[in-house]
Amino acid sequence: MTTVPEPSGSATLNPVQMSINPLAGRTVTDASLNTSNVATGPLEKRMQYRGVYHHWFYRKEVENKVLWHPFSMQDSLRLEEVHNSSEITPETTVATDGGRYDVDILRRLRSPVYWSGPSTEVRRCSWFFKGHTESRYVPYDESTAAKLEEEYKQACLLNVWNRRIDLNNGEYIIVHSATVQVHYLTTTSPELAASWGNSGGAGSRPRVIKRGLDEFHIEDGEPEKVDHLLFLVHGIGSVCDLKFRSVEEVVDEFRSIALQLVQSHYRTASQQGIVNRIEVLPISWHTTLHSDDTGIDKKLQAITLESIPKLRHFTNDTLLDILFYTSPVYCQTIMQTVGNEINRLHALFKQRNPNFNGGIYLGGHSLGSLILFDLLCHQKPLSDSSSSENDTENNENRDEDANSSQSRTNRVLKRRLSKKISYVVGAAGTGQPYIHYPQLHFHPCAFFALGSPVGMFVTVRGIDMLGEDFVLPTCPAFFNIFHPFDPVAYRMEALIHPDAPKYQPMLIPHHKGRKRMHLELKETMARVGADLKQRVLDSVKNTWNSVYQLTPFHRPDNSALEREIDKVVEEQLQQTPTVPDQQTNDDGGAELKIGKLNGGRRIDYVLQEAPFEYINEYIFALTSHVCYWESEDTMLMMLKEIYGSAGIQTDTQLPQQTLTIERTSPSPSLSSSSSTKCDGSVPVVPVMGMNPTTPISEKPIGPPPKSGFVRKS
């Protein structure tokens, strides 16, 4: 809106002048407005009035505080278009937030689509207020905003300000000028009564009023096209982090981080329309487990002691979920809930996105990863049937004469290895109970375990080694991601390959493209210590050889001398930091083949701890278990695996000489980003921006070009 300052020749009206002014405080319609009857002096100028822009907001409660968040620009324009349409009906709804929420415009309600939750209020906003104790502007209700806008319009057209607007609750608003409007409270207002500086009456602490959206940051909106779909299953308890947020809230942040990383690390592919966004949907099972249908909460309440009630409630609501999963009754409830929810959301998503043809991925945090692991172990390929399995067994029986007894036994064990994870039989009736596992309606492309105790549970169930032939029947890829200080996380590679404990987990790169400084310093000191030790050994040996050259008649045995020198120097330098016994990733860890579970690739991936976490690992042990929801490094690794399976790389992985997306022949030397497809085969989609005839150096030459520029060789 373009505003013109008040004329310098006109005086500001006081309340007395305003009371005798027939135009003050009165609503004047456009039909009754006659500019010829308004006396104007030579210095008087009328404001150029422009209608206010209306933006849609939705109400949200955060930590018992009511906050109003603006819809994205794309969603608000869509809502405004439907609002102004003449064909709107009570059944009309508008999909917002990437299709995760539907807005009923007539009822002004916003409801979630994929999960159950309360409907929240929405408003078509244009005027806002902010009290002296508030940090954010709050929108007026639509009727008050319409009244304010009408008074503002008449003040601009008539150039008559200081207009008073009385509200129904005894409060009033005065439009002093085009830029100054104040909301005065009454002495009975809760906000004013709670203030300590109420000596000046009702006008001592008024509210500041704002017209328009100057104080708000409005997002452009999410891309409409969805490239891939990711389901995330939560762990124990009804809250997922130390902020006491539900799985829907933490997944919202996880999705937001994914969108930001796509826009920052896949900028080139995003500008070309190759990369859009990944939809992340939460899978909740805790509510069903603790519902009235199971009655578990009432049973626990009857046997729970009355002392330390808060701690006992936390135990019943959170920690006992681990024991419930080992129960044959409640384990069936949990597994059935997770399987049914995944299938339901998958069908609903396909219905709302009929053109979706991307991959589907699964992810689980803590106990959620164990639930998905057991579920995937008991999946049957969609094309398989009992008859085909019987045919396979009959064919093997016919080939018995052509194979030795030992080979036949190994082959049967390999085929039945996944069924070993059913854990039906136990020495004392313990282990995983026998339950019915629901079948998913799709084959997931990969499974991401975050802070997973799968390795521990498999070991406790009595399985020493899964073997290199162990696979998930319908999922070709498995990634075990964990924080180094996470007390609940365990490695998986040691259960697959016997030599895996000799190698460190694969280090997940920092999302800013470098290793954290304290880790680099730690490795540097280890290398310096080892080099210093070797140099001291060489120096001492050379000195002793020089001494004995002066006494040619007495020369000791060189081998015995070297052993004595090594012994002395080792004792003196035993405190020197050395390279760890485990081999680092640069020593061949990346080339280690870990069975068939992940197509031969590494399974364990460790995050880099932050510098302040390195100070004391015990202090940050609890926070490290819930850090994955806010971890850019975790999400970036998942993006690289998801998009890498289609041959799409980040901007930093593309050659610096050619930043345009080009479709070329596939390169045989693909790194971790070129994973397997959903069916387990090597991807045939070429790598974007890769030229197989041009050798790629390990480090790019020169700095990367600035954002927005495309440079060709």
Side-chain angles (χ1 to χ4, degrees):
M1 183 190 70
T2 304
T3 60
V4 179
E6 288 185 328
S8 59
S10 61
T12 304
L13 299 178
N14 54 38
V16 178
Q17 293 173 324
M18 185 174 60
S19 63
I20 62 177
N21 191 336
L23 297 178
R26 188 181 67 181
T27 302
V28 183
T29 61
D30 293 339
S32 62
L33 178 60
N34 188 356
T35 57
S36 61
N37 296 330
V38 181
T40 58
L43 298 179
E44 290 181 342
K45 297 181 180 179
R46 291 183 176 86
M47 292 284 297
Q48 181 181 359
Y49 172 78
R50 291 185 179 179
V52 68
Y53 168 75
H54 293 86
H55 196 89
W56 290 78
F57 282 67
Y58 63 92
R59 188 174 183 266
K60 186 177 182 180
E61 292 187 6
V62 179
E63 298 180 356
N64 297 327
K65 294 182 179 180
V66 177
L67 300 177
W68 287 87
H69 294 272
F71 283 97
S72 66
M73 186 63 65
Q74 183 179 5
D75 290 341
S76 182
L77 292 176
R78 188 182 298 111
L79 289 169
E80 187 69 13
E81 180 181 359
V82 177
H83 174 268
N84 298 329
S85 175
S86 59
E87 299 178 356
I88 186 172
T89 62
E91 291 77 18
T92 302
T93 58
V94 179
T96 62
D97 299 275
R100 295 180 297 275
Y101 289 88
D102 282 343
V103 174
D104 188 338
I105 295 183
L106 293 182
R107 297 181 179 88
R108 295 295 197 267
L109 292 178
R110 172 177 176 263
S111 305
V113 174
Y114 296 103
W115 58 87
S116 60
S119 300
T120 57
E121 180 185 358
V122 299
R123 286 182 184 177
R124 183 172 178 260
C125 307
S126 56
W127 287 78
F128 307 86
F129 68 87
K130 183 174 68 173
H132 67 282
T133 60
E134 299 171 342
S135 59
R136 303 181 60 177
Y137 279 92
V138 180
Y140 280 104
D141 60 82
E142 298 185 30
S143 60
T144 303
K147 186 185 297 184
L148 282 170
E149 183 63 23
E150 182 64 24
E151 292 292 336
Y152 180 85
K153 176 181 179 181
Q154 301 304 325
C156 290
L157 297 177
L158 300 176
N159 195 25
V160 178
W161 300 97
N162 288 333
R163 304 171 68 90
R164 172 168 174 160
I165 305 172
D166 292 321
L167 303 180
N168 297 330
N169 55 0
E171 302 173 2
Y172 60 94
I173 299 172
I174 294 182
V175 183
H176 291 286
S177 65
T179 57
V180 179
Q181 303 91 28
V182 183
H183 183 164
Y184 292 95
L185 306 176
T186 61
T187 55
T188 59
S189 175
E191 179 182 350
L192 192 61
S195 62
W196 57 270
N198 194 18
S199 59
S204 58
R205 291 182 180 271
R207 291 172 174 173
V208 179
I209 298 179
K210 185 72 175 178
R211 179 178 184 264
L213 303 172
D214 295 342
E215 299 294 332
F216 294 94
H217 175 69
I218 309 297
E219 299 288 345
D220 294 334
E222 304 177 16
E224 294 186 3
K225 183 179 179 180
V226 178
D227 299 326
H228 302 281
L229 178 60
L230 171 63
F231 293 109
L232 284 181
V233 182
H234 68 87
I236 61 174
S238 58
V239 296
C240 296
D241 61 357
L242 300 181
K243 299 178 182 178
F244 299 97
R245 295 184 297 178
S246 63
V247 62
E248 292 82 11
E249 293 175 319
V250 295
V251 167
D252 281 344
E253 182 169 3
F254 203 64
R255 185 189 309 107
S256 177
I257 293 174
L259 182 60
Q260 295 175 6
L261 291 175
V262 166
Q263 295 174 351
S264 61
H265 288 70
Y266 291 88
R267 182 182 300 273
T268 305
S270 179
Q271 292 175 351
Q272 299 292 333
I274 300 175
V275 169
N276 297 278
R277 68 181 178 96
I278 292 179
E279 182 61 274
V280 187
L281 297 180
I283 303 296
S284 177
W285 52 266
H286 181 270
T287 303
T288 304
L289 175 65
H290 292 266
S291 63
D292 295 336
D293 296 336
T294 60
I296 185 60
D297 289 345
K298 293 182 179 180
K299 298 177 183 178
L300 291 176
Q301 186 178 2
I303 62 176
T304 302
L305 300 180
E306 297 180 357
S307 59
I308 52 175
K310 293 184 178 180
L311 181 58
R312 296 189 188 279
H313 174 74
F314 173 79
T315 302
N316 294 343
D317 186 68
T318 304
L319 299 181
L320 289 187
D321 287 348
I322 304 175
L323 299 181
F324 290 150
Y325 188 68
T326 61
S327 167
V329 177
Y330 301 108
C331 180
Q332 181 67 64
T333 301
I334 296 174
M335 189 63 66
Q336 197 70 35
T337 301
V338 172
N340 292 344
E341 273 295 292
I342 293 178
N343 288 332
R344 183 184 70 86
L345 296 188
H346 173 255
L348 183 58
F349 179 83
K350 293 285 290 184
Q351 178 184 354
R352 296 174 65 92
N353 300 270
N355 297 325
F356 174 77
N357 58 356
I360 304 176
Y361 297 80
L362 298 178
H365 174 246
S366 189
L367 183 62
S369 64
L370 177 63
I371 298 173
L372 287 178
F373 180 80
D374 290 337
L375 181 64
L376 292 176
C377 284
H378 294 82
Q379 294 297 300
K380 299 178 181 179
L382 299 180
S383 59
D384 288 357
S385 61
S386 58
S387 59
S388 62
E389 184 176 355
N390 294 332
D391 293 341
T392 303
E393 293 179 354
N394 294 333
N395 293 333
E396 291 181 355
N397 293 332
R398 286 194 298 266
D399 295 339
E400 285 183 357
D401 297 337
N403 298 282
S404 63
S405 176
Q406 183 64 31
S407 300
R408 185 171 61 256
T409 302
N410 293 337
R411 191 168 59 255
V412 173
L413 288 176
K414 292 177 183 179
R415 190 180 68 254
R416 297 296 184 182
L417 192 54
S418 62
K419 294 189 177 182
K420 186 181 179 183
I421 314 300
S422 59
Y423 314 114
V424 179
V425 180
T430 59
Q432 179 72 5
Y434 178 79
I435 63 174
H436 173 70
Y437 290 89
Q439 298 298 308
L440 300 180
H441 297 164
F442 58 89
H443 286 181
C445 296
F447 167 42
F448 300 96
L450 310 178
S452 174
V454 171
M456 181 268 293
F457 271 85
V458 171
T459 303
V460 170
R461 290 168 179 173
I463 297 180
D464 298 331
M465 183 67 63
L466 293 175
E468 298 184 30
D469 292 328
F470 174 77
V471 294
L472 299 175
T474 61
C475 185
F478 174 46
F479 301 93
N480 184 33
I481 304 173
F482 53 88
H483 190 281
F485 301 157
D486 190 345
V488 182
Y490 291 84
R491 294 191 62 176
M492 279 293 297
E493 293 177 344
L495 297 174
I496 306 296
H497 197 286
D499 295 334
K502 301 178 182 179
Y503 296 86
Q504 292 182 351
M506 292 294 294
L507 189 65
I508 299 178
H510 194 268
H511 66 281
K512 294 184 179 179
R514 57 173 176 81
K515 186 178 292 186
R516 294 185 184 270
M517 186 178 299
H518 69 285
L519 295 179
E520 294 181 352
L521 180 61
K522 179 181 177 181
E523 294 182 0
T524 302
M525 293 300 296
R527 289 194 296 267
V528 169
D531 294 341
L532 179 62
K533 172 183 175 180
Q534 186 62 38
R535 291 184 180 182
V536 171
L537 286 172
D538 296 339
S539 178
V540 172
K541 291 179 182 179
N542 293 333
T543 303
W544 279 85
N545 290 333
S546 299
V547 171
Y548 282 109
Q549 285 180 0
L550 299 177
T551 57
F553 300 102
H554 181 71
R555 184 178 299 276
D557 185 18
N558 290 332
S559 60
L561 176 61
E562 290 181 0
R563 287 195 299 269
E564 291 297 328
I565 294 176
D566 291 342
K567 181 179 179 181
V568 174
V569 176
E570 285 288 349
E571 293 177 355
Q572 296 296 328
L573 298 180
Q574 60 181 353
Q575 301 299 330
T576 303
T578 58
V579 179
D581 295 335
Q582 285 184 322
Q583 299 186 36
T584 62
N585 298 332
D586 297 335
D587 296 331
E591 303 299 331
L592 179 65
K593 302 298 182 182
I594 304 292
K596 298 180 180 179
L597 180 59
N598 199 12
R601 300 173 55 200
R602 296 293 300 272
I603 299 174
D604 294 337
Y605 291 82
V606 61
L607 294 169
Q608 302 180 33
E609 68 273 15
F612 62 90
E613 294 177 337
Y614 188 71
I615 299 175
N616 192 319
E617 56 191 36
Y618 291 96
I619 296 178
F620 299 96
L622 183 60
T623 59
S624 64
H625 183 59
V626 295
C627 71
Y628 309 99
W629 305 113
E630 303 176 354
S631 174
E632 294 91 347
D633 299 349
T634 301
M635 190 67 245
L636 182 58
M637 179 202 165
M638 297 172 67
L639 289 177
K640 289 181 178 179
E641 295 298 335
I642 292 175
Y643 282 117
S645 62
I648 303 175
Q649 295 184 332
T650 62
D651 291 344
T652 57
Q653 294 173 319
L654 296 177
Q656 299 300 315
Q657 291 80 7
T658 304
L659 290 183
T660 55
I661 300 297
E662 299 176 357
R663 296 184 179 271
T664 60
S665 58
S667 174
S669 59
L670 298 182
S671 59
S672 61
S673 61
S674 59
S675 59
T676 57
K677 296 196 303 181
C678 299
D679 57 358
S681 61
V682 179
V684 297
V685 181
V687 179
M688 308 304 174
M690 300 295 292
N691 188 352
T693 61
T694 304
I696 302 176
S697 59
E698 297 181 357
K699 296 182 179 180
I701 301 176
K706 297 182 179 179
S707 176
F709 291 88
V710 178
R711 181 180 62 188
K712 295 184 178 180
S713 57

